[in-house]
Amino acid sequence: MSRHGAASANADPILLLHGQPGDARDWEAVVGELGQRAIAIDRPGWDGASQPSDLEGNAQAAVAALDARGVQRATVVGHSLGGAVAAWLAATHPDRVRALVLAAPSANIASLDQIDHWLATPVAGYLASVAVLTGLGLALTAGPVRRRIAGGLALDDSYLRAAGRRLLEPAAWRAFVIEQRALIRDLPALESRLREISAPTTIVAGSADRIVSVAAARSLAGEIRGAGLVVLDGAGHLLPQSHP
């Protein structure tokens, strides 16, 4: 379900797909820049009601969001794991994607590391994921810690407070783990189809990103025909929030 925006009849609509963990609120600053062109949705599993899904299930949800608004084609923007969803959508539903923007995307095998594989393991991965998300959630709900993080990362305090509450919800833990396993399983299939993407593609990476490296983004640019790569100097992983 969308929390933000409805594409106007005279503007090129832009569909925004958040990362993991996350929800449509991650795009608030971007929506502020784009106005009525923006369609920011909660991906499956992150609205507190729907079930988490794999890349295909996420792509179907994105198509349904466009259909609900009477939008045939949109520029599709995906951040982090949302970038994998956006790329899958462009490869499997090319008629729905006018252009593709992948921000700090986890959309190829090079974007994965050993921690990603560990977090996808059945028992230890689940327990580790819950511990990490809970610890981060508690840190973000503590005022002094949150304010230090907000200042250090140039992020909005109210956004971090809401994000902290979200990370303490069991639904978020479940969505994170299911998506992590789907990512490990689905990325080889996505990578084999990257050459099928025909939409004009731009990849945006932060030079200081410790989650998805510039090297992984550069590799991805080489796998999608004609893709351009923009590197933001000093930027980290949370591009929609820090560089709207």
Side-chain angles (χ1 to χ4, degrees):
M1 182 66 68
S2 173
R3 295 178 186 231
H4 299 289
S8 69
N10 298 320
D12 180 18
I14 302 174
L15 178 65
L16 304 170
L17 304 173
H18 65 79
Q20 167 222 38
D23 61 25
R25 289 171 291 187
D26 293 351
W27 296 103
E28 284 183 346
V30 177
V31 171
E33 297 287 338
L34 297 176
Q36 291 299 306
R37 302 172 67 192
I39 305 170
I41 66 172
D42 292 325
R43 294 193 297 97
W46 295 102
D47 58 1
S50 61
Q51 295 299 310
S53 190
D54 56 10
L55 294 186
E56 176 58 24
N58 272 272
Q60 292 292 345
V63 168
L66 295 179
D67 288 345
R69 293 159 180 79
V71 174
Q72 177 57 36
R73 300 183 73 198
T75 293
V76 179
V77 185
H79 172 245
S80 197
L81 190 146
V85 176
W88 187 276
L89 180 63
T92 59
H93 297 81
D95 58 317
R96 309 307 299 267
V97 181
R98 184 184 306 277
L100 184 64
V101 179
L102 306 176
S106 297
N108 59 351
I109 295 173
S111 67
L112 299 175
D113 58 24
Q114 288 302 314
I115 293 177
D116 287 305
H117 288 274
W118 179 51
L119 292 175
T121 56
V123 177
Y126 176 78
L127 295 175
S129 297
V130 170
V132 169
L133 295 181
T134 300
L136 182 57
L138 291 172
L140 292 179
T141 54
V145 175
R146 185 181 64 253
R147 285 190 288 272
R148 284 199 298 272
I149 294 174
L153 298 178
L155 298 178
D156 181 71
D157 182 81
S158 61
Y159 165 77
L160 290 176
R161 188 186 307 114
R165 291 194 298 267
R166 182 175 67 226
L167 294 177
L168 296 175
E169 298 171 358
W173 308 340
R174 184 169 182 270
F176 182 91
V177 171
I178 289 176
E179 285 198 340
Q180 191 68 29
R181 294 171 185 170
L183 189 67
I184 299 299
R185 183 181 63 249
D186 291 350
L187 274 193
L190 171 59
E191 190 161 67
S192 71
R193 304 195 66 169
L194 290 175
R195 281 288 173 186
E196 300 175 26
I197 294 176
S198 57
T201 301
T202 301
I203 298 166
V204 185
S207 67
D209 191 339
R210 296 184 180 181
I211 305 298
V212 177
S213 68
V214 172
R218 186 171 291 111
S219 175
L220 181 64
E223 295 175 279
I224 300 175
R225 287 179 295 183
L229 175 64
V230 177
V231 179
L232 301 179
D233 187 42
H237 189 65
L238 300 180
L239 298 180
Q241 298 92 337
S242 63
H243 291 71

